[in-house]
Amino acid sequence: MPANGVCSVGLEVIEDNATYASGSDSAGVSEDEDVQQLFVSGADRVTSVLPKKSDIRKASQVDEQAAAAAAAVSEKRYASLPNREQHQQFLTQFLTEVLNSAVFNATDRANKVLNWVDPEELQRTLDLALKDEPDTHEKLLELTRATIRHSVKTGHPYFMNQLFSSVDPYGFAGQVLTDALNPSVYTYEVSPVFVLMEEVVLREMRTIVGYPDGEGDGIFAPGGSMANGYAISCARHKFMPDIKTKGLHALPRLVIFTSEDAHYSVKKLASFMGIGSDNVYAIKTDNVGKIRVEHLESEILRAKSEGALPFMVSATAGTTVIGAFDPLEQIADLCAKYNLWMHVDAAWGGGALMSKKYRTLLKGIERSDSVTWNPHKLLAAPQQCSTLLTRHRNILAEAHSTNATYLFQKDKFYDTRYDTGDKHIQCGRRADVLKFWFMWRAKGTAGFEAHIDKVFENAEHFTSSIKARPGFEMVIEQPECTNVCFWYVPPGLRGVPRDSAEYRDRLHKVAPKVKERMMKDGSMMITYQPIHDKPNFFRLVLQNSSLDKSDMNYIIDEIERLGKDL
C-alpha cells in the first residue's frame, strides 16, 4: 500500500476465505536466531539475553508483544494526536482496506451479504480479548479485515432486513468528515458550521412537511425513538408547563393515544418519562393497518370520563411492519376538536414527502404539531440521522433548557441565540446533519425525489410479480409504502386445507426456516414476523435505489429455491 496519503483502491471482487485465530500474531522467531531482545512495557531500557533454543519458540510470543509495547512507548503511541510520520501509512492502509472490503466489495452482488458463523465459534475465531500491551499496526489491520469479514454487509443490495440499508457514497464521505472533525454540536463557538447547517436543513425539512415558511423548531436526535420522546416531552410541556419544575406529583393522569401497530418507542418513552405505558391507549387498526378513527374518538372520550387528561395523539406515517399511513386529516380534525397535540411518527414514511407523486400518502401532516422523520431510513442516509420537527417556535428550549453557566453563558461576544444545544436533553452530540447535508448537496432535492420514486417503483414491481407467481400470497393486497408483506407457500403445503391447524402451523415455520437458510448461504437477508393473528410472513423493505427489476426477480427466485422442499 502507498504511504503518500493517496488511497490506491482496487475494485476487484475478492472472496476472502481466511480465518483469524485468536491470540497474538503467528509470526515467530527462527530457531537459528541467537539473540532475543525482550522489551519491557513502560520502560526505556532493553535487556539482552541469550536463550536456549528450546525456549525460543515460547519466548517469541512474549518478545513480540513486549517489542510492540516498547516501540509504542518510544513512539508515544499512547498520545491522542495524529503524527504524519507514525500514522500516515497506517491510516492510508486502513482506509484503503475499508474502501475495498467494507464499501466496494461488500456492496457487490457477486459477494455474500454475510459469512454466517455460530456465536460460540465466532468467539473462538475472532480475537476480541483486551490486552495490557498494544498491538502492532499490522495486527490492527488484520483485526480490521476480520471485523469486516464477520460483519453483516448492510450496504449490500440484498440486505433488506431492517428499515435501513445501503452505503451511500456521499453520506459515507460526510460521515468520514464528521469523524475527522469530531465536533459536539451545542455551541456556536465549538461548532460554527454545524450549528448553522442544522438550522438550514431543519428549516427546509419543516417547509417540506408544510409548516408555513418553514417556521418552528427542530433537532437532530439519536434515533427515531428519542425523537418521539422529544415530541411527548414538548406536548406535555405545552399542556402542563409546571411539570418541568414540579414534576409528576399531584398532577392528573396523562394519556397518549397511538395505533396498536405503532412503533414500541411511544410506550417505552412514556414509561421512561413517568407517564406509564398503561396510559398509552392502543387504538385498533383496520385490515390494512390504519388507525380506526371512530375507535380513537371513543378512547378519547373514555379517558376523559375516567378523569384522565388526554393530551396527545401519535399517528404513524409508515408503520414498521405493514407500512401503513394513518388517516392524518381525520386525526387532525379530532385533535382540533379535543385540543390534543398531534404528533406524526414519520420516521419510516417521511421520505415520501420528497416525491410529488407519493407525498399524498402523508396528506394532513402539515396540520401536525410535530413530526419524527429519519433520513437514515427511506432516504438511505448513514446511521444515525433522525430529526424531530415542530411548528412551535422555542418550545424545545422552554421544555428542556437549564442555562448551565459553564457552557451557555449569556455574556459571550457573539449572539448566543446560536448556542442551540440547551434545547436538547443531551450535552455532547454528534453532527449527524453533515452526512445528510452532503448527500443533499450532491444529489439535490430532485435526486432525492428520483430515489424515492425508484424504490416505490421496485416495490410495485415486486408486488405485481409475486401476485403472478404460484405459491406467493400477499398479507396486504396493495402495500402503501415499500414494505411488501407476503407468505411463501411451498408445493408440499398447497394441498393442505387452509382452515386447518396443520396448514397454519406448517406455514408459521416456513419463513424462519427460509431465513435460516438464506443467512447460512449468505445470499440475502429479509426479515419475517407474525402480526395479530397472522402466522409468520416475510417483510421485504426497499430503500436502496440501486436495485432494479432483475433484483426483484432474484429475491423471488431465491426464496423459492430455499423453501420449495419445506
Side-chain angles (χ1 to χ4, degrees), residues 328-561:
L328 302 182
E329 288 190 299
Q330 294 172 271
I331 292 171
D333 290 341
L334 284 183
C335 288
K337 180 177 179 179
Y338 293 104
N339 191 31
L340 304 176
W341 180 286
M342 179 183 174
H343 174 63
V344 180
D345 179 0
W348 172 228
L353 289 166
M354 304 295 279
S355 167
K356 290 184 286 290
K357 181 177 181 180
Y358 294 101
R359 68 169 290 122
T360 55
L361 290 166
L362 298 99
K363 190 177 181 182
I365 196 171
E366 70 280 357
R367 297 174 62 187
S368 66
D369 292 283
S370 59
V371 172
T372 291
W373 179 0
N374 288 8
H376 74 238
K377 290 187 173 162
L378 205 48
L379 292 178
Q383 289 268 32
Q384 62 192 24
C385 191
S386 304
T387 63
L388 184 280
L389 311 166
T390 175
R391 70 187 315 120
H392 301 281
R393 297 183 63 183
N394 302 319
I395 194 166
L396 283 158
E398 292 168 4
H400 306 126
S401 64
T402 56
N403 297 306
T405 56
Y406 57 82
L407 189 58
F408 303 110
Q409 306 94 329
K410 300 304 180 185
D411 55 355
K412 293 180 179 178
F413 65 92
Y414 61 85
D415 188 344
T416 57
R417 287 180 303 168
Y418 293 101
D419 288 355
T420 56
D422 207 16
K423 64 185 178 182
H424 295 260
I425 59 174
Q426 294 172 265
C427 181
R429 191 169 58 85
R430 284 176 55 85
D432 287 330
V433 65
L434 177 55
K435 55 203 167 192
F436 185 43
W437 176 87
F438 208 78
M439 288 176 66
W440 209 326
R441 291 298 294 263
K443 300 167 185 283
T445 304
F448 278 139
E449 180 173 24
H451 164 86
I452 292 296
D453 289 348
K454 181 62 179 295
V455 295
F456 272 87
E457 177 188 320
N458 282 336
E460 290 159 5
H461 176 78
F462 185 87
T463 298
S464 62
S465 296
I466 62 173
K467 284 182 177 180
R469 181 77 71 98
F472 288 85
E473 298 182 8
M474 299 294 295
V475 176
I476 301 296
E477 192 65 21
Q478 196 58 49
E480 285 190 294
C481 199
T482 64
N483 315 42
V484 185
C485 300
F486 62 95
W487 288 286
Y488 172 64
V489 184
L493 187 54
R494 294 172 199 172
V496 178
R498 293 299 183 92
D499 56 354
S500 67
E502 179 191 357
Y503 180 85
R504 179 185 175 84
D505 291 345
R506 287 178 60 185
L507 182 61
H508 190 65
K509 296 173 183 177
V510 169
K513 191 62 181 177
V514 172
K515 177 66 177 287
E516 176 188 347
R517 289 175 175 181
M518 73 172 67
M519 290 189 67
K520 288 182 175 179
D521 281 3
S523 59
M524 61 186 185
M525 280 184 67
I526 299 174
T527 193
Y528 70 87
Q529 64 283 300
I531 191 170
H532 305 312
D533 61 344
K534 293 178 170 61
N536 280 322
F537 54 87
F538 291 104
R539 178 191 57 161
L540 178 73
V541 285
L542 295 168
Q543 68 262 53
N544 187 333
S545 54
S546 71
L547 275 68
D548 55 27
K549 292 180 179 179
S550 66
D551 293 310
M552 301 301 101
N553 296 335
Y554 166 83
I555 294 163
I556 298 169
D557 291 342
E558 184 67 3
I559 289 176
E560 195 169 51
R561 180 185 74 84

Side-chain angles (χ1 to χ4, degrees), residues 66-289:
V73 170
S74 66
E75 295 175 1
K76 294 186 177 178
R77 283 255 307 268
Y78 61 85
S80 301
L81 186 69
N83 178 288
R84 190 178 297 276
E85 181 180 346
Q86 294 176 25
H87 301 120
Q88 180 166 334
Q89 182 176 7
F90 167 70
L91 290 174
T92 300
Q93 291 176 315
F94 172 81
L95 290 172
T96 300
E97 186 67 55
V98 169
L99 286 173
N100 270 320
S101 300
V103 176
F104 292 113
N105 287 346
T107 59
D108 193 298
R109 286 170 176 80
N111 287 334
K112 293 182 177 183
V113 177
L114 74 159
N115 295 289
W116 175 259
V117 180
D118 289 327
E120 296 78 9
E121 183 183 348
L122 187 58
Q123 283 184 320
R124 293 191 300 270
T125 302
L126 199 59
D127 181 6
L128 297 176
L130 301 176
K131 310 168 186 176
D132 290 336
E133 312 304 340
D135 282 320
T136 64
H137 283 171
E138 290 74 18
K139 180 64 175 179
L140 294 175
L141 292 170
E142 178 189 329
L143 294 171
T144 300
R145 289 188 288 270
T147 298
I148 294 169
R149 173 172 173 75
H150 291 296
S151 292
V152 174
K153 312 308 185 294
T154 62
H156 195 288
Y158 300 145
F159 176 86
M160 296 156 285
N161 202 67
Q162 261 77 41
L163 302 182
F164 70 92
S165 72
S166 83
V167 178
D168 185 90
Y170 302 108
F172 173 76
Q175 185 99 303
V176 170
L177 181 55
T178 300
D179 287 342
L181 294 171
N182 193 32
S184 187
V185 189
Y186 36 52
T187 62
Y188 181 83
E189 66 181 280
V190 297
S191 289
V193 174
F194 302 122
V195 164
L196 299 179
M197 189 182 286
E198 281 192 342
E199 293 308 304
V200 168
V201 171
L202 291 168
R203 175 178 284 273
E204 186 62 22
M205 293 178 77
R206 290 193 297 268
T207 301
I208 291 169
V209 165
Y211 295 154
D213 299 320
E215 287 296 320
D217 206 349
I219 55 174
F220 279 80
S225 292
M226 288 304 300
N228 286 339
Y230 274 111
I232 295 171
S233 179
C234 289
R236 187 174 67 174
H237 181 82
K238 182 177 184 294
F239 284 88
M240 310 193 77
D242 285 349
I243 205 166
K244 180 178 179 180
T245 54
K246 294 182 170 57
L248 298 172
H249 300 288
L251 293 175
R253 180 167 66 89
L254 303 175
V255 174
I256 301 169
F257 307 91
T258 196
S259 160
E260 63 180 340
D261 293 344
H263 193 263
Y264 65 81
S265 59
V266 178
K267 275 193 172 184
K268 182 171 285 193
L269 268 296
S271 176
F272 180 79
M273 295 170 64
I275 293 170
S277 58
D278 285 350
N279 293 314
V280 178
Y281 286 20
I283 308 304
K284 294 177 182 177
T285 56
D286 61 19
N287 59 356
V288 293

